[in-house]
Amino acid sequence: MVNKHRVLFCDIHVKMQGHYMSYDQYLLDHISDMEMLAPGTDIQFLFNKEGQQLLNIQSAGADRVTFIELDQDDSISTRLASLRKIKKFALSHNIGHLILLDLDQYQAALFLTSFTCNISGILFRPHHRITSSNNHFKTKWRARIKRLKKKTAERLLIFNTALKNIFILNDPCGVDQLNRIHHTDKFKYLPDPVFHYNSQTRPNLPVLKKGDIMRFLIFGSISERKNISNTILAYSQAGLSMESELLIVGPGESQYVESLRREITQLFSPGNLHKRVLLINRYVSNTEMDEYFSSCDVCMLVYKDFFGSSGLLGRASLHGLKVIGPNASLMQFLIEKHHMGLTADPDNVSAIRYCMERISEFDSPPSSAGKYHQVNSAEEFLKILSNHLRY
């Protein structure tokens, strides 16, 4: 019997927040495709206990998946302890290649932990795209400090000789830049996959027909990083020529959500039919997510201090939404490269308002229609990732 090269995909931060677990579920559902693309491999999965309730392991099989109990405290000591448990699991299961699906969590811990197997992972937040959105001293200084911290963490990461591939999403130019900066060839390009979700049942949502009114959408975890307060204020000030709605959909901390509800009440009168804000504070399924996207016109992504790729760009492209995003970092580059919409300084309410007023006039060239989600197909993501499983 031929010994197979054992590969372990690991994500111990699976939780009902955002749609990051789409990566996990897609890999579980396509385990046979990966093994065909990488002949001679035997693929296993390792998740935290919470993932047991959130992931469907039927297509992979229970013998391929392990759920372990881990402390979810966000500290370096906890991350180091978790990584050592992962190492112990890998050793006991004769793993030849460990794939960490969220490498950011372990940059410092990997510097302090040696491995006998190869390691690869997705680095969501590299340093090279961290730039200031304006010329204010405080903003520029904050970006500079964050950039230096991230760069230092990357240097520590590269010191681990077991580390073979550091995947960077959606940024081939950035991959070349990072390899030059760190004098290595470990950084590799990986498309940020746009997943397609099929469902036989239509979710029981309010009837929202695209085209009836202008709809702006803020989707995902409701947090300060999404810059929701500034977006709500900009929307209240925007001189829009037609009836409109701002939909805010996703799970969030109750205290923060209540503060947003108070802002909405202060800015919008109940009888205002020209502008409405609808806040839906709950986690929604992938099918529901697509229903909301297909019913809206503009995806609001003017995030603060966010410098990487966003899966919501793919959803916007898939459903033909225009995008309003930040005027710095990788998001700005992608929005402009693919002619997806307009960008604004996240700290500048007037700039966000201006984009909301002008976005209806923005028209993508016909040649760019659908290009973003085609370039970043889930199939291409799987193909490129599988090519590195043996190394």
Side-chain angles (χ1 to χ4, degrees):
M1 184 176 178
V2 179
N3 288 329
K4 290 193 173 184
H5 180 69
R6 306 198 81 185
V7 177
L8 178 66
F9 283 94
C10 178
D11 183 358
I12 59 168
H13 295 90
V14 181
K15 54 186 175 181
M16 191 174 282
Q17 182 179 357
H19 285 257
Y20 296 112
M21 70 177 118
S22 296
Y23 290 88
D24 302 319
Q25 191 60 61
Y26 183 79
L27 294 171
L28 284 166
D29 292 342
H30 292 83
I31 188 169
S32 58
D33 295 329
M34 284 191 290
E35 290 180 341
M36 281 196 300
L37 288 166
T41 57
D42 175 66
I43 296 174
Q44 305 284 318
F45 295 90
L46 182 65
F47 301 115
N48 54 303
K49 275 286 186 182
E50 192 173 350
Q52 203 162 7
Q53 308 301 319
L54 300 174
L55 296 168
N56 179 6
I57 67 169
Q58 186 174 356
S59 53
D63 60 322
R64 304 270 201 151
V65 185
T66 302
F67 298 95
I68 58 173
E69 195 76 56
L70 292 166
D71 191 344
Q72 296 296 308
D73 185 277
D74 189 22
S75 66
I76 292 177
S77 59
T78 299
R79 292 177 188 181
L80 185 58
S82 296
L83 190 62
R84 285 171 177 164
K85 287 184 180 180
I86 295 168
K87 174 184 175 179
K88 183 178 179 180
F89 181 92
L91 282 170
S92 64
H93 288 76
N94 195 29
I95 299 300
H97 196 164
L98 169 65
I99 314 287
L100 294 169
L101 292 171
D102 188 356
L103 197 54
D104 298 77
Q105 302 283 339
Y106 303 106
Q107 286 178 264
L110 276 166
F111 176 68
L112 300 170
T113 310
S114 62
F115 277 79
T116 55
C117 65
N118 292 336
I119 305 172
S120 296
I122 301 174
L123 189 66
F124 288 93
R125 295 171 288 279
H127 86 276
H128 68 293
R129 290 287 184 180
I130 299 177
T131 54
S132 175
S133 61
N134 57 55
N135 288 320
H136 297 159
F137 175 79
K138 185 178 179 181
T139 308
K140 291 175 73 173
W141 184 251
R142 189 171 62 226
R144 187 175 297 176
I145 294 298
K146 188 182 287 281
R147 185 182 175 102
L148 180 60
K149 285 181 178 179
K150 290 286 186 181
K151 186 176 181 179
T152 302
E154 289 163 14
R155 290 198 187 282
L156 294 177
L157 187 64
I158 290 168
F159 276 129
N160 193 314
T161 56
L163 188 72
K164 302 303 178 185
N165 305 296
I166 306 171
F167 297 111
I168 306 296
L169 296 177
N170 268 9
D171 196 0
C173 295
V175 166
D176 293 338
Q177 184 180 346
L178 287 163
N179 280 326
R180 284 197 305 272
I181 290 170
H182 292 295
H183 306 289
T184 185
D185 60 356
K186 293 184 177 184
F187 292 94
K188 308 286 170 57
Y189 163 74
L190 193 63
D192 193 355
V194 181
F195 301 111
H196 292 255
Y197 305 112
N198 298 313
S199 176
Q200 301 300 317
T201 58
R202 185 183 176 88
N204 185 25
L205 297 177
V207 178
L208 300 173
K209 293 183 179 179
K210 193 168 185 175
D212 289 356
I213 63 175
M214 183 82 162
R215 284 198 184 89
F216 299 88
L217 175 66
I218 299 175
F219 186 87
S221 299
I222 298 175
S223 65
E224 291 187 18
R225 179 177 62 81
K226 294 288 180 75
N227 203 25
I228 299 173
S229 289
N230 278 352
T231 303
I232 291 171
L233 185 56
Y235 175 60
S236 73
Q237 298 174 358
L240 302 174
S241 60
M242 63 186 296
E243 190 178 344
S244 62
E245 282 185 349
L246 174 61
L247 301 185
I248 305 168
V249 183
E253 299 270 341
S254 58
Q255 188 173 354
Y256 180 65
V257 171
E258 284 310 308
S259 71
L260 290 177
R261 292 194 191 278
R262 286 193 295 271
E263 289 179 38
I264 293 166
T265 301
Q266 291 168 4
L267 291 170
F268 300 90
S269 61
N272 187 344
L273 298 179
H274 182 62
K275 289 181 182 176
R276 294 183 295 272
V277 180
L278 179 61
L279 197 160
I280 302 166
N281 177 28
R282 64 180 178 85
Y283 182 86
V284 302
S285 68
N286 292 327
T287 307
E288 289 177 290
M289 172 176 65
D290 277 346
E291 284 290 317
Y292 282 115
F293 269 84
S294 65
S295 304
C296 292
D297 303 280
V298 182
C299 184
M300 300 298 299
L301 297 173
V302 198
Y303 298 166
K304 279 188 176 182
D305 299 325
F306 182 84
F307 306 103
S309 177
S310 170
L312 296 184
L313 278 175
R315 299 246 70 74
S317 172
L318 188 64
H319 292 283
L321 275 70
K322 298 174 183 179
V323 173
I324 299 177
N327 68 334
S329 73
L330 181 60
M331 289 259 275
Q332 179 194 24
F333 173 77
L334 293 172
I335 290 167
E336 292 179 354
K337 177 183 177 182
H338 296 283
H339 307 284
M340 300 179 75
L342 304 174
T343 60
D345 176 1
D347 292 320
N348 190 329
V349 172
S350 295
I352 300 170
R353 181 198 71 205
Y354 179 84
C355 288
M356 296 180 91
E357 292 171 344
R358 296 289 180 268
I359 191 66
S360 61
E361 301 168 9
F362 179 86
D363 194 17
S364 298
S367 61
S368 69
K371 187 177 179 182
Y372 182 91
H373 69 265
Q374 291 168 356
V375 169
N376 295 285
S377 70
E379 292 78 15
E380 188 67 13
F381 164 80
L382 197 73
K383 179 182 175 182
I384 293 175
L385 185 60
S386 298
N387 286 340
H388 293 282
L389 292 186
R390 292 195 61 87
Y391 308 103

